[in-house]
Amino acid sequence: MDTSRLKKLLLDGAPEFWELLRQQTREARAFDELFILSSLRKKAHARHLAPPKPASEKIRVALLGGYSLYPFHELLEHICELEGSPCELWKGDFDNYISEIMDESSGLYAFAPRVVLLMPSENRCRYPGKLTDPRELQQAEATRVVDSLLQLIARAHDKTSAEIITTNYILPARHDHGAFRSRTMGSDWTFRKWVNLELGLKAPPYLHICDLEFLAHRLGGIQARDERSWFESKQPCSPALLVDFAREAAHLIASLRRAPKKVLVLDLDNTLWGGVVADDGLEGIELGDTSPRGEAFKAFQRYIASLRHRGVLLAVSSKNDHHRAAEVFEKHPEMILKMDDIVAFKANWDPKSDNIRQIAAELNLGLDSFVFVDDNPAEIDIVRQFVPEVATILLGPDPSEYATLLQDCRFFEVRSLTAEDAERTSQYLSEARRKELQASATDMNVYLESLEMEAVITEFVPVDVPRLSQLINKSNQFNLTTRRRTEAEVQALMREPGYIGFSVRLKDRFGDHGLISIVIGHAVDGIMKIDTWLMSCRVLKRQVEDEVLNELARLAAARNCSKLEGLYLPTPKNEMVRDFYSRMGFTLVAEDEKSRQFELSLKNFQPTPTRIKITRRAYDPS
Amino acid sequence: MTQADVLAKLQTIFDDLFLEPVTLIPALTAKDVPEWDSLMHISLVVAVEKAFNVRFRVGEVEATRNVGEFADLIAKRTQER
């Protein structure tokens, strides 16, 4: 990190110092970098270089715990000030937190904090007995540790009415006890995991968990600890984790006062799908299982959809022709997000800053509750300049990182549970119990029923061609003839009058499987010859085969065919479907080393009932 | 690295961390610099370990009595690498 420009601005007394300091503070990852920035901040105050905006009122925060609070408090003070929620800190003495909370005349209560940040000592979170003690004994001890901490916290809250933030416990990262560590609750590893879990689940509304277990996991267990710094200066963790800890604590303190974000405004081209729909067309954009990039965009949409389910409102602002942009939402089969998910849809040529202002007016929401996402730095810049209240996220060149970028910006986090949430929870619980019953049933039909499967059967359509060709060319095991076809060949086939072709998409209550089966038939002299029948092995034994045969028979009959003719062409990989046609009721009529030929008469054909709900059929005008 | 080399590099670290300018000489001790408290000391050690790419053993920085001895310790750990 280069601080030379900051130092020059400081020496010149230039007010731009503060904005650059804020930027560098956001970017700084290492402890010493942040500490130097903090020193520069203090130098600026000592020189009376005033921040551009007068700082808002300081929040009174008390720090106490089983560790030295130096230099943690320095980092916390620095980050809080530069993120716009300055703090006045009171520091307890090393490992004196229990008496500071119990003693009504302690400095803690004289300070009258609005927020108490507590770091309980991990030395008090250890099972004192044997590894081989009965689990009931070990578990009772863990519960006792949690309850006594919660009692202490309740006392601090009662006496101050402050919001309380407590850290939980970092897990060990060394090979103590070997694999046995997870088979007993007597090891620090399991004991602390249990305590952390119970602490979080039992936490009352005024208590916020600063999840050090998670932060250490995120950073890496070995990087998170530093034994030397404990022996030398009673630090809770390594300097690297101290930085993440301070950032998390600052985030929690700030979010106690700051309203959460409510609206996510999305760009379209190269944000929700790859490519530009106006140039590449509906068929040409990258979305879905056609390519790794297409899969990544689809996964990003899935994450956005999950935000919508959490209550985030979704809006679109895109430089596009309205009709072209809307068509993707209405017609593209791989779109996760639908028109109904979008509360405001602005596809036009106006500046995005204007669009966002208009959306805010329509929804009657403040601009500071908006987050804007785009892959184009120029668009991000316009929004930053003209509607600075809006938070912006610039997506990089790699769509596989889009969802993680959105997650790590931390704009849409759940704060606490409301009564409404609790009510919903009880409804969910009864629902969950019902499903559990189903899942426990051994009857296959009950299981299939419980999957709530829905299938869409579609004749070959231009927009599906890339996916059809891709599955035709990669499917090996459940593939009766293994005939490969390029996109151009699939397109040519669609124009051949004697041919039929359809694909099946399947979803169930666990998610969308996408396009999973393809059939091509060729009607010749009253016989429907099955040119291709393939299926993704992910959906074996789900009755998809039965529905495909039902559909095939229906389409064959509609084309005046009285017979289905199936062909098995053996390859090194498709042994699993050698007897497939026999299992489906076909008769073997000819066989040699290179092929097996089957027939099924349609005269007495009855469709096989299944547990799949078919919501659309091929060549169906509706 | 000689003691003088180490002192020169150390000076830049002190310039970054301390509010008031400190001129490093071998005889200087923490007591001579009001800002040099235990908090500053922790940060100083982290910055020095990173800048010189060394790792001190537990307690040995505390055992040095002045800047000269600290510089010698840095030089010694640098040579071990």
Side-chain angles (χ1 to χ4, degrees):
Chain A
M1 188 186 59
D2 184 8
T3 52
S4 54
R5 219 184 124 223
L6 261 182
K7 282 179 186 158
K8 183 161 188 314
L9 290 174
L10 175 59
L11 289 173
D12 296 347
E16 296 93 308
F17 168 86
W18 291 104
E19 180 50 32
L20 186 60
L21 184 67
R22 199 175 65 88
Q23 269 178 30
Q24 291 201 252
T25 297
R26 283 208 175 151
E27 286 157 14
R29 286 286 158 265
F31 172 84
D32 57 319
E33 290 173 357
L34 261 182
F35 198 84
I36 288 169
L37 293 172
S38 179
S39 288
L40 287 169
R41 174 183 55 94
K42 289 196 289 188
K43 282 178 197 176
H45 284 310
R47 286 166 171 267
H48 304 289
L49 177 59
K53 274 191 299 197
S56 60
E57 200 192 324
K58 288 189 172 184
I59 311 168
R60 303 167 69 78
V61 179
L63 304 179
L64 56 169
Y67 302 93
S68 169
L69 305 163
Y70 302 87
F72 171 75
H73 78 288
E74 190 72 30
L75 302 182
L76 183 64
E77 184 181 274
H78 180 74
I79 296 167
C80 283
E81 181 180 328
L82 289 169
E83 291 295 329
S85 49
C87 295
E88 184 179 343
L89 297 179
W90 176 88
K91 298 179 288 291
D93 290 327
F94 165 63
D95 207 16
N96 205 25
Y97 62 100
I98 295 177
S99 61
E100 278 157 352
I101 290 173
M102 299 311 289
D103 176 6
E104 282 181 39
S105 62
S106 74
L108 169 67
Y109 297 116
F111 175 69
R114 299 306 309 134
V115 178
V116 175
L117 173 54
L118 174 67
M119 290 175 241
S121 165
E122 70 177 21
N123 291 329
R124 294 195 182 82
C125 185
R126 184 164 281 149
Y127 183 65
K130 294 199 187 96
L131 284 181
T132 51
D133 281 349
R135 205 184 85 193
E136 291 71 19
L137 220 66
Q138 296 172 336
Q139 207 161 317
E141 176 62 15
T143 300
R144 196 197 59 77
V145 167
V146 172
D147 290 345
S148 70
L149 181 58
L150 287 173
Q151 275 165 24
L152 196 66
I153 286 166
R155 188 175 164 87
H157 175 72
D158 288 348
K159 297 275 169 217
T160 59
S161 31
E163 297 285 321
I164 317 279
I165 299 171
T166 185
T167 58
N168 59 11
Y169 298 98
I170 302 172
L171 303 180
R174 298 294 169 181
H175 281 294
D176 198 20
H177 304 309
F180 191 69
R181 86 173 68 78
S182 57
R183 302 190 57 177
T184 169
M185 273 191 60
S187 66
D188 286 351
W189 170 259
T190 316
F191 191 78
R192 285 183 193 154
K193 270 210 237 193
W194 190 281
V195 167
N196 287 345
L197 199 61
E198 203 172 321
L199 180 65
L201 296 176
K202 278 184 175 173
Y206 57 80
L207 177 60
H208 312 267
I209 308 288
C210 183
D211 197 344
L212 279 190
E213 178 189 354
F214 167 78
L215 294 177
H217 160 76
R218 191 170 186 276
L219 180 69
I222 289 175
Q223 264 80 47
R225 283 187 172 269
D226 184 352
E227 301 308 328
R228 192 191 65 187
S229 75
W230 165 255
F231 295 124
E232 286 190 343
S233 52
K234 303 296 171 272
Q235 293 299 303
C237 56
S238 69
L241 185 62
L242 210 58
V243 171
D244 294 348
F245 175 21
R247 284 191 190 281
E248 178 71 10
H251 176 79
L252 289 170
I253 291 167
S255 59
L256 293 175
R257 302 213 297 193
R258 198 173 289 159
K261 303 291 179 189
K262 298 194 181 82
V263 187
L264 179 61
V265 183
L266 300 156
D267 171 48
L268 297 180
D269 292 326
N270 285 316
T271 295
L272 292 191
W273 54 74
V276 176
V277 67
D279 297 338
D280 304 326
L282 194 59
E283 296 84 7
I285 58 173
E286 287 178 283
L287 181 65
D289 309 332
T290 322
S291 68
R293 259 172 72 80
E295 272 190 59
F297 281 109
K298 194 172 174 181
F300 183 48
Q301 287 201 18
R302 233 178 248 127
Y303 179 67
I304 293 168
S306 77
L307 288 178
R308 194 188 86 83
H309 291 300
R310 283 190 224 169
V312 175
L313 300 174
L314 304 180
V316 161
S317 174
S318 166
K319 285 243 156 70
N320 248 315
D321 179 57
H322 178 89
H323 170 73
R324 290 312 295 272
E327 194 184 14
V328 182
F329 282 78
E330 284 153 0
K331 295 201 179 143
H332 199 289
E334 300 290 321
M335 280 293 286
I336 300 286
L337 297 171
K338 307 287 180 203
M339 259 324 193
D340 293 347
D341 296 320
I342 311 294
V343 293
F345 195 97
K346 305 281 176 202
N348 53 40
W349 304 96
D350 298 336
K352 295 200 176 188
S353 46
D354 290 2
N355 279 327
I356 294 175
R357 279 190 190 283
Q358 211 179 333
I359 295 169
E362 284 168 19
L363 300 176
N364 197 22
L365 287 168
L367 283 166
D368 58 355
S369 62
F370 277 65
V371 178
F372 170 63
V373 179
D374 204 306
D375 67 299
N376 183 344
E379 301 292 353
I380 292 282
D381 201 50
I382 283 176
V383 171
R384 274 190 192 155
Q385 279 191 36
F386 293 98
V387 270
E389 304 94 320
V390 174
T392 56
I393 301 171
L394 175 61
L395 300 170
D398 186 350
S400 72
E401 289 168 4
Y402 285 5
T404 50
L405 267 168
L406 210 53
Q407 285 168 9
D408 280 352
C409 72
R410 316 194 57 178
F411 289 131
F412 301 108
E413 296 179 351
V414 179
R415 298 279 173 85
S416 59
L417 297 174
T418 62
E420 216 172 286
D421 294 325
E423 169 61 22
R424 258 207 315 271
T425 306
S426 71
Q427 288 169 11
Y428 285 144
L429 283 177
S430 54
E431 176 76 3
R433 233 168 276 137
R434 192 175 65 76
K435 289 203 168 132
E436 214 173 290
L437 278 176
Q438 285 179 355
S440 64
T442 48
D443 186 308
M444 190 64 181
N445 278 329
V446 174
Y447 165 70
L448 290 172
E449 183 80 47
S450 76
L451 285 175
E452 296 162 16
M453 293 184 286
E454 274 185 30
V456 175
I457 306 178
T458 317
E459 66 281 5
F460 285 8
V461 287
V463 69
D464 273 341
V465 166
R467 271 166 294 280
L468 293 168
S469 171
Q470 192 217 13
L471 195 59
I472 286 171
N473 290 318
K474 85 171 184 192
S475 170
N476 289 318
Q477 297 183 69
F478 195 115
N479 192 337
L480 274 304
T481 54
T482 323
R483 287 178 177 147
R484 307 303 196 191
R485 281 187 167 92
T486 64
E487 290 189 24
E489 285 165 341
V490 173
Q491 267 156 353
L493 189 144
M494 286 157 63
R495 292 189 293 268
E496 288 284 330
Y499 277 88
I500 59 161
F502 63 86
S503 66
V504 183
R505 284 186 165 79
L506 182 74
K507 63 180 178 185
D508 60 36
R509 68 181 171 110
F510 296 114
D512 188 352
H513 297 281
L515 198 159
I516 42 85
S517 187
I518 294 175
V519 170
I520 297 170
H522 186 196
V524 184
D525 302 330
I527 299 170
M528 181 63 79
K529 299 185 175 209
I530 305 170
D531 174 285
T532 295
W533 186 338
L534 61 86
M535 192 174 82
S536 162
C537 293
R538 283 182 295 178
V539 293
L540 272 179
K541 312 264 180 202
R542 295 285 199 88
Q543 302 180 325
V544 173
E545 310 89 298
D546 297 314
E547 283 298 346
V548 168
L549 181 59
N550 293 347
E551 183 72 354
L552 199 47
R554 186 183 75 84
L555 293 173
R559 281 158 185 74
N560 299 318
C561 295
S562 58
K563 212 157 63 169
L564 295 181
E565 194 180 286
L567 193 63
Y568 168 72
L569 301 178
T571 72
K573 290 179 175 167
N574 71 349
E575 177 67 25
M576 71 182 289
V577 286
R578 186 184 158 81
D579 297 315
F580 172 70
Y581 281 123
S582 311
R583 288 199 296 276
M584 300 302 285
F586 285 60
T587 315
L588 181 65
V589 291
E591 177 171 21
D592 58 33
E593 273 176 21
K594 287 181 184 151
S595 73
R596 307 179 87 203
Q597 200 181 322
F598 300 84
E599 275 180 12
L600 178 69
S601 165
L602 294 176
K603 279 199 185 84
N604 299 312
F605 180 81
Q606 289 295 323
T608 312
T610 72
R611 309 286 164 171
I612 304 173
K613 185 180 162 200
I614 308 292
T615 55
R616 182 197 189 280
R617 292 192 173 276
Y619 302 99
D620 194 347
S622 68
Chain B
M1 255 182 152
T2 65
Q3 194 193 64
D5 294 338
V6 174
L7 280 179
K9 197 166 171 183
L10 207 50
Q11 181 71 55
T12 64
I13 297 172
F14 272 69
D15 292 345
D16 277 338
L17 287 173
F18 286 74
L19 297 180
E20 297 299 326
V22 180
T23 307
L24 292 187
I25 52 164
L28 190 77
T29 71
K31 283 193 200 105
D32 303 327
V33 184
E35 263 184 80
W36 193 344
D37 55 10
S38 59
L39 157 64
M40 187 59 91
H41 194 74
I42 293 168
S43 315
L44 186 62
V45 172
V46 172
V48 166
E49 287 193 329
K50 193 170 157 192
F52 288 90
N53 190 20
V54 291
R55 169 99 183 157
F56 302 116
R57 297 165 193 173
V58 65
E60 67 182 6
V61 174
E62 210 176 285
T64 60
R65 281 168 300 184
N66 56 36
V67 167
E69 288 188 17
F70 185 36
D72 291 340
L73 175 65
I74 295 171
K76 190 169 140 196
R77 292 281 163 260
T78 312
Q79 277 154 20
E80 279 172 1
R81 275 205 328 272

